[in-house]
Each structure stands twice: as structure tokens, then as C-alpha cells.
Amino acid sequence: MLTPAAALETILARVAPLAAEQVPLLDAVGRVLAAPLVADRALPAWDNSAMDGYAVRFAELAVGSPLPISQTIAAGHTGDHPLAPGTVARIFTGAAVPPGADTVIMQEDVTADGHSMTPTELPRAGANVRRQGTDVQPGQALLPAGRGVTAGDVGLLAALGRSVVSVVRAPVVTILSTGDELAAVDAPALARGQIRNSNAWMLAAAVRAAGGVPRIVPIVPDDRAAVDAALAEGVQADALLTSGGVSVGDYDHVGHALRALAGDAFGFWKVAVKPGKPLAFAMVGRCAVFGLPGNPVSAGVTFELFAAPALRKLAGHTRLARRRVSAVLDSALPAAQGREIYARAALREVDGVLHVDPARTQSSGALSSLAAADALVITPPHTPARGAGSAVQIMRLDIEDRVAP
Ligand code: AMP
Ligand code: MG
């Protein structure tokens, strides 16, 4: 059976970042730059004052010697250029320093009467002047392609006058739930045997977090013709996530239907992972299709392991899978046989060291344990049981910490 690492490698080899699109500046947050940001101008564009004070020629300053104030320059104004020799300019933070001045003495270091100012303490030569281009030089490479745009980046883009940004298109992801037992989240009352379609909402939330645009489609019954039709429609997106019906039971049609639809582009149907052994992947045209198991925990964990990195790659990210870090085990973990186990666990930090406590129930139907999980503890195949205090590898779910594959 395919290892999780080999399955992810297969998936990532077959998806590529989507094309670029232009979006308004604020819509770039959380999206990925399609091209590097290169400065087309200097920041600051002109020398300006870092303080409220007086723009001076440093060589003319002496403690106790008054100098007349020849002009006043507020932020947004340029004053009467240049600074007349033997005089100073009253200046405020962010105002353009007049030609001739080389230093700003801050107002706390002078006495002044409105007509002249007298230094009580001398600044360093050149102090309190933010020189043109000291922040950003024209032609400077500022941000690489593949970078997830942050609020700080938006500030930089705005300062450079970029009101429109070229980002990678966000993948549109169909979310298709199969199962005769499923009812809508807002169905007024459920018959015995029915459950709410929680997977669709969980997966939609996870798709958003991965940078995709979820499209939940109507519940599909456990009927081969209905599954065929829904898959054919669902692949009109950049990715398709199905949940349920991917095992080998009499009513599990997704695997067979996907194999028929994908033909030669069918990838795999089983991965040596727990939770989640039945897990299908195929490319149908340009659509990456993930047949996720129906059990909520299995669907959530396999999404995290396999679909999230793929959606992030489609969305242009270069850091795709969560980083694996080590932690100390706080309670025992059973041995692994042939499958790699991902156990839900609570995380805490003790004196800067991460500790994990695996959930008591690792049942793949236990949604409460998935909601409570801060981390997944990884047990590679054929690992013996481990006791409290052992060092283990984990994936944190509580932070976004990802690495390039
Ligand atoms: P399946 O993979 O179709 O055999 O389903 C496995 C288990 O997951 C069953 O208990 C289903 O009722 C449950 N399940 C399947 N689909 C969903 C869903 N969309 N939301 C919540 N639970 C589901
Ligand atoms: Mg089912």
C-alpha cells in the first residue's frame, strides 16, 4: 500500500499553481503573490524629518547660540526652499527637509520664542533626517512570488501606489457529500438513522483556511448513477472533495465511479494511513479529485494530510505541508502495525518544551476529539508502543507553520 509520503508526492506532482489574476489591494490579503514585488520608486521619496523640531545646518549649531527661524514646514508642505544660511526651519514629523539643511534638532533640545531657537543640547550630525531611499531603493526586490500576502505587505504595496495586485487565482473547490443517511445542517428534525452532513461544513471551512473557495453541492444518495452524475458536474472546478462512499461496502460507489471517470489519470484508492485507509485521488482533466472517507475524523485528517497541501499549491503557496516538530508524550500511545497513525492530541508548552496528550478516544467517528485537537501525533508503521516521556513527532494544528516539500 502507498505510504502517506508517497501519496502526497504523487498528488503534488500533478497539481500546479493556477493562473494570475488582478485583485484590489485589500483582497490580496491571504492570497499569494503571482509575481515578485520590485520597487519602482524610492521610499521615502524625499528626505523628511523624523521628529518635531528644527531643520538646521549642523555646522552652524552651538549650545547657547540663538539662530533665527526663517520658515515653518508642516507635514505635507515643502516650505520656502532652500534654507537660508544662518537660519533654521521650524519642522514637523514627516515634513520635507529643505535643501541646505542636513540635521533636525528635536524641540526638546532647544529653547525657542517663535522667532529664534537656541540649542540646549547638540544632536549628532545628520540626526533625525529620514533620507530618501533608506527604506526602499528603486529596483529593490521586496517580496518574492509565492508569498502569502500579510497586512504588513499591504502597507508596503500601498506605499508604493499599488492599488491592484497580481495574485494567484484562488482554487474553486466543489464539496460533495455522499450517503443516504445525510440530512442538511438546518433540517428541522431528523428521522432515526439520519445524521447531519457535518463533513461538508468542516471541509468547507478547511478549504477556506487553505486559500480555496468552497462550493457545497447538494447531498448525493448512495446510488451509482447519482454519484456518476454528481462527479461529472463536480469536476467543473479546480478541485473536488467527496466524502463517504469510498470504501468497499455494497453502497460505496465513489471509488468505482471515480476510477471510471478518470481513466488513465486515476491515481490511487488506498493509503497506509490511520485514520483514513480508503482514500482516492485522481485528476479529471484539470480538476484534482480527492475521495475522502466519510468518518468525520478520517475526512478531517486526510484533508489535512493530502488535500490541504494540494489546494495550497493550486493557490500559489510554496510552503505546503505542516512542519513536523518533536514533542514529549504525556500519556502512552499504542504500537503501529502497517499503517502510519495520526493521533489527535492536546498540546501544551512547559518551560518552552511542547508536550502532547493524545485524546482518550481515537475513534474516527468522534468529532468532539477532532475539535479538541491541537496537534496530530505521528506513529510511523511498525513502531512499538511508547510510554509517557517518549519523544514523538507531531504536526501542530493550532498554528500555520508549513514547509516547502
Ligand atoms: P462511509 O465512508 O460512507 O462508509 O461513511 C463512514 C461513516 O461516516 C458513517 O458512519 C457515515 O454515516 C459517516 N458519514 C459519512 N458522510 C458523512 C458526512 N457528510 N457527515 C458526517 N458523517 C458522515
Ligand atoms: Mg456512506
Side-chain angles (χ1 to χ4, degrees), residues 87-169:
T87 74
V88 303
R90 179 72 168 122
I91 197 164
F92 297 91
T93 304
V97 172
D102 55 25
T103 301
V104 170
I105 182 168
M106 56 185 198
Q107 63 191 27
E108 290 84 347
D109 290 345
V110 306
T111 55
D113 60 7
H115 302 290
S116 69
M117 72 95 198
T118 307
T120 54
E121 203 162 316
L122 291 191
R124 283 177 300 98
N128 304 321
V129 178
R130 299 189 285 217
R131 300 261 171 224
Q132 177 190 35
T134 45
D135 187 6
V136 169
Q137 289 284 325
Q140 188 179 340
L142 295 170
L143 300 171
R147 166 162 177 111
V149 178
T150 65
D153 297 348
V154 169
L156 183 59
L157 286 157
L160 291 167
R162 307 288 184 94
S163 60
V164 170
V165 186
S166 179
V167 295
V168 178
R169 191 164 66 71

Side-chain angles (χ1 to χ4, degrees), residues 11-402:
I11 293 164
L12 293 180
R14 297 181 61 180
V15 296
L18 299 171
E21 67 176 358
Q22 310 286 317
V23 297
L25 179 54
L26 196 52
D27 293 350
V29 182
R31 303 287 293 278
V32 178
L33 290 182
L37 174 64
V38 178
D40 61 351
R41 64 197 76 182
L43 292 179
W46 21 263
D47 294 357
N48 71 94
S49 179
M51 290 285 175
D52 294 333
Y54 299 85
V56 300
R57 286 184 175 79
F58 178 76
E60 295 175 354
L61 289 182
V63 170
S65 303
L67 289 165
I69 299 168
S70 57
Q71 56 176 314
T72 295
I73 315 169
H77 300 269
T78 52
D80 319 315
H81 291 176
L83 182 66
T87 74
V88 303
R90 179 72 168 122
I91 197 164
F92 297 91
T93 304
V97 172
D102 55 25
T103 301
V104 170
I105 182 168
M106 56 185 198
Q107 63 191 27
E108 290 84 347
D109 290 345
V110 306
T111 55
D113 60 7
H115 302 290
S116 69
M117 72 95 198
T118 307
T120 54
E121 203 162 316
L122 291 191
R124 283 177 300 98
N128 304 321
V129 178
R130 299 189 285 217
R131 300 261 171 224
Q132 177 190 35
T134 45
D135 187 6
V136 169
Q137 289 284 325
Q140 188 179 340
L142 295 170
L143 300 171
R147 166 162 177 111
V149 178
T150 65
D153 297 348
V154 169
L156 183 59
L157 286 157
L160 291 167
R162 307 288 184 94
S163 60
V164 170
V165 186
S166 179
V167 295
V168 178
R169 191 164 66 71
V172 173
V173 184
T174 309
I175 296 175
L176 189 161
S177 311
T178 70
D180 285 350
E181 73 277 37
L182 300 181
V185 63
D186 56 356
L190 300 194
R192 186 172 158 80
Q194 286 192 302
I195 60 168
R196 297 197 192 271
N197 178 12
S198 59
N199 284 353
W201 298 93
M202 172 184 68
L203 292 172
V207 163
R208 270 206 188 152
V213 179
R215 297 260 189 272
I216 297 176
V217 299
I219 293 163
V220 178
D222 290 316
D223 168 80
R224 175 62 191 268
V227 170
D228 281 338
L231 289 184
E233 180 72 30
V235 295
Q236 310 294 321
D238 300 304
L240 165 61
L241 304 176
T242 68
S243 90
V246 75
S247 193
V248 290
D250 292 350
Y251 299 96
D252 292 332
H253 301 295
V254 173
H256 299 288
L258 187 55
R259 175 172 274 171
L261 185 63
D264 290 344
F266 189 75
F268 52 79
W269 191 340
K270 281 191 176 63
V271 178
V273 64
K274 186 179 177 180
K277 176 167 82 181
L279 169 72
F281 171 74
M283 293 299 295
V284 179
R286 301 181 130 187
C287 181
V289 186
F290 296 83
L292 305 178
N295 271 308
V297 172
S298 309
V301 171
T302 52
F303 175 91
E304 181 52 56
L305 296 179
F306 305 108
L311 297 186
R312 287 177 61 86
K313 185 165 184 185
L314 288 170
H317 286 284
T318 53
R319 295 165 174 228
L320 305 178
R322 291 191 190 272
R323 189 193 302 276
R324 288 157 189 245
V325 296
S326 57
V328 177
L329 199 57
D330 277 349
S331 58
L333 260 187
Q337 317 297 310
R339 293 195 277 161
E340 188 153 276
I341 302 174
Y342 290 81
R344 282 143 277 150
L347 194 65
R348 68 194 174 110
E349 218 177 298
V350 182
D351 299 332
V353 178
L354 291 174
H355 285 246
V356 279
D357 191 12
R360 294 298 165 262
T361 171
Q362 293 293 333
S363 154
S364 51
L367 259 171
S368 58
S369 68
L370 186 62
D374 311 309
L376 296 172
V377 183
I378 304 158
T379 306
H382 310 298
T383 303
R386 289 172 294 176
S390 306
V392 292
Q393 290 287 104
I394 66 165
M395 280 169 45
R396 294 183 69 163
L397 302 177
D398 61 330
I399 56 169
E400 274 295 326
D401 183 17
R402 295 179 186 263

